[in-house]
Amino acid sequence: MILHQILRLSSIFRTAVSIHLRRNIGLSAIVFNKTKELDPVQKLFLDKIREYNTKSKQTGGPVDAGPEFQKDMNESLARLQRAYGEGDLTKFPDFKFE
């Protein structure tokens, strides 16, 4: 009886330890990946995304968009407003659940 309880507790302990180790190994892998140097292609990709983000914030819209883009966008918005009614189509709709 005592041997059975010891074996059962050891299996529970083994399961808890294995879960704990798997979680820690997963977290340490994420931390290790953040600290190591990025691949040159990944670094270039991230630099371009960050550069586009700063340019987009400065211009307040799409980067390097000419007047024809703005004209096409205004025409599309007008067409959508005629088809689906009034309202601001540039904002995400506000849903209210009761």
Side-chain angles (χ1 to χ4, degrees), residues 1-97:
M1 182 72 172
I2 294 174
L3 181 62
H4 179 65
Q5 287 179 345
I6 290 173
L7 289 175
R8 192 180 76 179
L9 287 176
S10 69
S11 69
I12 293 171
F13 179 72
R14 193 176 323 122
T15 304
V17 168
S18 69
I19 290 172
H20 184 71
L21 286 176
R22 271 188 274 147
R23 288 181 182 165
N24 284 341
I25 289 172
L27 289 176
S28 62
I30 293 170
V31 171
F32 178 71
N33 282 338
K34 288 189 178 193
T35 59
K36 76 176 188 177
E37 188 62 32
L38 290 175
D39 184 275
V41 175
Q42 288 175 332
K43 186 175 182 329
L44 180 65
F45 181 71
L46 288 176
D47 289 343
K48 288 295 180 179
I49 289 175
R50 289 181 183 127
E51 178 185 337
Y52 184 86
N53 189 22
T54 56
K55 285 182 179 180
S56 176
K57 285 181 181 177
Q58 288 173 353
T59 60
V63 177
D64 297 333
E68 57 275 345
F69 172 79
Q70 191 63 35
K71 180 183 167 205
D72 290 342
M73 186 172 160
N74 289 338
E75 288 175 359
S76 298
L77 286 175
R79 194 172 342 122
L80 287 171
Q81 281 181 336
R82 282 192 306 268
Y84 297 109
E86 297 299 316
D88 190 8
L89 298 176
T90 59
K91 292 185 181 177
F92 193 78
D94 185 27
F95 297 108
K96 295 179 183 171
F97 298 103

